[in-house]
Amino acid sequence: MVRTSRSSRAAIDASQPIRFDQKGGPYRGNLRFSYLGGTLRVINAVSYDDYTRGVLPLEMPTSWHPEALKAQAFAARTYAYTSYKGGSRDYDVTDDQADQCYGGTRVEVPSSSLAVNLTLGKVITYQGASIRAYFASSSGGYTLNDGCWMNNVVRSGGSWGCSAGSAYLAAVPDPGDRLVTAPANPRASWTVTFTSDQIRSGVLRCGGPDIGVLQGVDVSNQVPAGVGHVISVRVFGSAANTDLRADDLLRSCLGLRSTMVRLNPF
């Protein structure tokens, strides 16, 4: 079995020769070409381990501890393995943040390649099946169960609640998240300031009512309560109030990096 990763696309012009841009470096495995919807798709067909060699340096600093690199190798390989689409699609994963960043052999370095070799062919499983090995650059100090992600947050009574998530992705504290200093993680802690009009516009972009002048924001609906990620946001205004899913308002409509947020008085 091979893992496929889309490496680039090029528009077809019958009057011109086809040129393939390999993004600045060579790739392991083979190249496949498909033509769909007027687009030439170039696909890198590669083994799971060789694919992981081209992922690891782009998803974790290669100067980090060997055990951290090995853990990341497990996660990256497992993510690819579980993403296998069979014959239902001509590729399995993209080479960017939509799945995992992948750069081929040009990004490989000895420390990360050693981590791949020391975990060769191994994936993470739960009850006999490979897991969906999600990972992120920062948890904000607490992870989030997948039942509390995006559209998995659903109306529950008068507010919002989480759906049943995967047992292996239970929310757990991550105290080491903010302790990393070499290099420092800019996503571990950050501050963004919004005006009343910006919040008002964000609510409108999310399909909410025109709240008028902002009077208050409530982000107390957190999982776990008091320490975790916000799953819904109540916004109070002079003209209307609303209660929106946090992923929609905070991330999609206001552009925040995470739902692990707290408010400063205003």
Side-chain angles (χ1 to χ4, degrees):
M1 184 181 295
V2 296
R3 178 55 36 211
T4 56
S5 176
R6 183 176 60 189
S7 55
S8 68
R9 290 183 176 184
I12 296 294
D13 182 348
S15 67
Q16 300 293 326
I18 296 174
R19 183 176 67 87
F20 172 54
D21 180 0
Q22 292 187 331
K23 295 191 175 181
Y27 290 82
R28 296 180 184 273
N30 299 309
L31 293 178
R32 295 176 179 172
F33 299 84
S34 66
Y35 182 70
L36 293 173
T39 298
L40 175 67
R41 200 193 308 270
V42 183
I43 301 160
N44 183 199
V46 64
S47 72
Y48 293 112
D49 291 312
D50 285 344
Y51 167 75
T52 305
R53 297 180 205 280
V55 168
L56 203 51
L58 297 181
E59 294 289 359
M60 176 176 283
T62 56
S63 60
W64 280 13
H65 195 284
E67 292 302 315
L69 291 171
K70 286 166 63 178
Q72 186 65 40
F74 272 113
R77 186 186 297 107
T78 304
Y79 184 94
Y81 184 84
T82 308
S83 298
Y84 178 63
K85 300 298 190 301
S88 64
R89 196 169 68 180
D90 60 346
Y91 69 93
D92 301 315
V93 290
T94 62
D95 62 356
D96 54 23
Q97 291 177 342
D99 285 302
Q100 300 182 116
C101 293
Y102 169 67
T105 60
R106 67 181 173 83
V107 302
E108 295 177 15
V109 298
S111 59
S112 57
S113 292
L114 177 61
V116 174
N117 291 339
L118 292 175
T119 61
L120 212 63
K122 296 179 180 179
V123 297
I124 307 167
T125 64
Y126 177 76
Q127 295 185 344
S130 63
I131 69 169
R132 191 66 168 167
Y134 295 107
F135 57 89
S137 59
S138 176
S139 69
Y142 224 106
T143 66
L144 184 65
N145 183 270
D146 58 333
C148 300
W149 296 351
M150 297 177 287
N151 291 335
N152 292 335
V153 176
V154 295
R155 277 286 182 183
S156 177
S159 185
W160 296 88
C162 300
S163 303
S166 304
Y168 58 80
L169 288 176
V172 295
D174 182 14
D177 183 72
R178 297 188 181 185
L179 299 180
V180 177
T181 58
N185 186 351
R187 297 181 181 274
S189 180
W190 39 268
T191 300
V192 177
T193 301
F194 292 103
T195 65
S196 173
D197 283 343
Q198 287 173 324
I199 298 294
R200 178 185 182 186
S201 297
V203 170
L204 288 170
R205 283 195 297 273
C206 274
D210 186 347
I211 63 169
V213 178
L214 179 67
Q215 296 182 332
V217 178
D218 179 3
V219 294
S220 61
N221 189 8
Q222 302 165 12
V223 177
V227 295
H229 290 249
V230 178
I231 64 168
S232 69
V233 181
R234 298 176 67 193
V235 183
F236 304 91
S238 61
N241 304 327
T242 190
D243 187 5
L244 299 172
R245 188 188 287 116
D247 256 310
D248 294 338
L249 178 60
L250 299 181
R251 302 196 68 184
S252 299
C253 297
L254 292 177
L256 296 184
R257 293 174 172 176
S258 171
T259 57
M260 184 65 166
V261 298
R262 299 296 183 265
L263 293 180
N264 291 323
F266 63 92

